[in-house]
Amino acid sequence: MSRARPTVLFVCVHNAGRSQMAAGFLRELGGDEVEVLSAGSTPADQVNPVAVEAMAELGVDIAGQQPKVLTDDAVVAADVVVTMGCGDECPFYVGKRYEDWVLDDPAGQGLDTVRPIRDEIRTRVEQLLASLR
């Protein structure tokens, strides 16, 4: 990685599932190498309990996280913005690195459905982290 710690912002609609899992993995795998943010265009009241359970199976605790509203300041602070289904509601700034991860939404899904989504997110986070190093 470069001398300065890069900041990664994960964005999905409710900031309750996909973006929270991605942020959890990047915090776990990246440690102090990267600053991790997550937000949603229409944040939920709480993190999806099935996402919390799926992550806990792998030893990653996201239970204490709270969905946050997406702000322009968060996008400005980020070096990389990873969107996950927020479409046109995600702000765009020239000069930022954007990645759009097309992933199924875990909202309303059971653990058996959320596990493969979680595993795909982990793979993408590992690839992202490798590209930042």
Side-chain angles (χ1 to χ4, degrees), residues 24-42:
F25 277 131
L26 189 55
R27 278 191 297 273
E28 183 77 16
L29 299 170
D32 292 339
E33 296 178 78
V34 63
E35 180 75 23
V36 182
L37 305 172
S38 70
S41 52
T42 310

Side-chain angles (χ1 to χ4, degrees):
M1 286 193 196
S2 65
R3 290 180 199 166
R5 265 183 357 159
T7 299
V8 177
L9 170 63
F10 294 103
V11 183
C12 67
V13 176
H14 299 298
N15 189 221
R18 295 168 288 190
S19 58
Q20 290 287 353
M21 289 190 284
F25 277 131
L26 189 55
R27 278 191 297 273
E28 183 77 16
L29 299 170
D32 292 339
E33 296 178 78
V34 63
E35 180 75 23
V36 182
L37 305 172
S38 70
S41 52
T42 310
D45 293 331
Q46 66 179 15
V47 175
N48 179 337
V50 179
V52 171
E53 184 179 356
M55 294 295 285
E57 289 181 341
L58 299 180
V60 180
D61 183 8
I62 62 170
Q65 298 300 314
Q66 181 65 36
K68 295 169 263 338
V69 68
L70 177 63
T71 64
D72 284 345
D73 289 345
V75 179
V76 169
D79 298 296
V80 180
V81 179
V82 179
T83 59
M84 304 174 197
C86 61
D88 293 338
E89 295 189 34
C90 292
F92 181 82
Y93 287 86
V94 175
K96 297 286 177 188
R97 174 179 164 189
Y98 284 86
E99 293 188 15
D100 184 41
W101 294 357
V102 179
L103 298 160
D104 291 334
D105 189 348
Q109 303 298 320
L111 192 55
D112 288 340
T113 302
V114 173
R115 282 183 184 119
I117 298 168
R118 173 204 64 198
D119 295 345
E120 177 64 22
I121 290 170
R122 181 182 180 124
T123 297
R124 291 180 189 217
V125 166
E126 289 169 342
Q127 292 168 348
L128 173 64
L129 187 56
S131 77
L132 294 173
R133 288 187 165 139

